[in-house]
Amino acid sequence: MRFDMHCHLKGGSIDSHVRIERYIELLRARGFSGMLVTDHDTYRAYDAWVAAHPEGLPDFTVLRGIEYDTRDAGHFLVVMPDGVDLKVLTIRGMSVRRLIDLVHAHGGILGPAHPFGARSSSAMFCRRMKKEPQLVDEFDFLEGLNTCEKVQANRSARALAERHGLPTVAGSDSHRERYIGTAYTDFSRPVRTCDDLIAAVREGAISGCGGTEREFRFRHHFRNIFPTTWGFKAFNRSAGFLMTPYRRHHLKAARDQKHVN
């Protein structure tokens, strides 16, 4: 089965212009079997899709993921088991250490999105990962190809994964129609649920991944200049700080949920 493992939807990501129906139409036309919805810190668009299509589709799989904005290590793709709904994953600002512990305690998997991409939001350019490089060994996968990034950034991600024996996935990170389906992850067995996806990643059932990086544009340079990088980091940390009381409340709820289970 062929998946796009990094998808942003209108109604879930403020900078996405593509509704899920159109996303599915385009992926189907390009031979894909499914997609992982990975909006930033929200399940809103996915939940709206499920409410409208409770039985899903017979020939295309839409799975529930999220791209979580950590306080200290950039963006992470997270997939939780079916039936596990942690509100805290919709509240940005956890540390990468806490995110790893939380996701694994509840049976999920995670890996850094675009590990060597934009310096403001990519794990391997963050101070936390430089101070604790051993954290890489606690990831379940790496995004080895993101079409937003330069060729060298993706090569560095795949080299890092190889050194640490981690599987790689690829995603288009599409917010616009023209990039949908430009990256793929192939699974060697059926993937119909999040449980299937988690098992496939853990058991080495990824048979391949790849795609084509986008043409270089000025914004690739602009997003890595000092004011842009540190402006975004300041915004991310400030937003996370403001959400601290809500995040603590929902972290406690997540711990209580684990204890009951």
Side-chain angles (χ1 to χ4, degrees):
M1 296 186 69
R2 176 160 287 192
F3 272 70
D4 187 337
M5 292 286 287
H6 193 153
C7 305
H8 292 282
L9 304 177
K10 186 174 184 178
S13 296
I14 60 173
D15 53 351
S16 179
H17 301 268
V18 190
R19 295 188 182 278
I20 189 169
E21 293 82 4
R22 180 61 173 160
Y23 222 115
I24 293 170
E25 178 186 355
L26 291 171
L27 284 176
R28 274 175 163 166
R30 293 165 187 173
F32 282 71
S33 308
M35 62 187 289
L36 179 68
V37 179
T38 54
D39 289 317
H40 284 276
D41 310 308
T42 183
Y43 294 114
R44 184 170 56 249
Y46 174 87
D47 290 345
W49 160 256
V50 170
H53 304 83
E55 301 301 321
L57 299 173
D59 60 346
F60 193 89
T61 300
V62 180
L63 296 183
R64 184 179 193 253
I66 202 164
E67 186 172 3
Y68 186 81
D69 293 23
T70 67
R71 180 176 70 244
D72 55 358
H75 297 171
F76 279 76
L77 302 178
V78 177
V79 183
M80 300 305 294
D82 298 302
V84 175
D85 187 13
L86 301 181
K87 175 69 173 177
V88 69
L89 289 175
T90 67
I91 306 173
R92 66 193 303 156
M94 273 189 284
S95 68
V96 65
R97 174 73 272 161
R98 180 158 284 176
L99 180 67
I100 292 169
D101 292 344
L102 176 75
V103 170
H104 287 164
H106 289 267
I109 57 174
L110 81 166
H114 42 73
F116 291 90
R119 291 179 177 272
S120 60
S121 57
S122 300
M124 302 314 295
F125 291 119
C126 292
R127 188 174 302 169
R128 176 56 54 198
M129 293 304 304
K130 292 177 180 179
K131 290 178 64 177
E132 299 182 53
Q134 69 276 12
L135 286 172
V136 173
D137 293 313
E138 298 189 53
F139 302 156
D140 301 287
F141 62 89
L142 294 179
E143 188 172 51
L145 189 142
N146 180 301
T147 67
C148 293
E149 306 307 337
K150 294 181 181 179
V151 171
Q152 186 54 52
N154 287 325
R155 285 177 180 165
S156 296
R158 292 192 293 273
L160 179 67
E162 184 175 357
R163 289 198 300 273
H164 290 266
L166 293 172
T168 56
V169 301
S172 66
D173 200 354
S174 296
H175 298 71
R176 299 179 183 273
E177 285 192 12
R178 65 179 176 271
Y179 300 121
I180 292 173
T182 53
Y184 65 88
T185 302
D186 288 338
F187 295 95
S188 58
R189 64 195 194 202
V191 174
R192 302 292 184 192
T193 67
C194 286
D195 288 346
D196 292 341
L197 176 59
I198 291 168
V201 171
R202 286 177 172 164
E203 297 167 14
I206 298 174
S207 56
C209 66
T212 304
E213 291 87 355
R214 305 175 193 182
E215 66 277 13
F216 179 82
R217 294 186 176 184
F218 177 73
R219 63 181 178 82
H220 286 93
H221 171 73
F222 178 76
R223 66 182 182 173
N224 281 327
I225 64 176
F226 184 87
T228 305
T229 296
W230 287 98
F232 180 85
K233 285 187 175 184
F235 165 77
N236 191 52
R237 291 172 184 173
S238 298
F241 176 77
L242 291 173
M243 300 298 287
T244 297
Y246 304 99
R247 193 169 56 250
R248 285 176 177 170
H249 169 74
H250 288 291
L251 274 169
K252 182 179 183 301
R255 288 193 293 267
D256 291 345
Q257 180 180 335
K258 176 62 179 175
H259 179 72
V260 169
N261 293 339

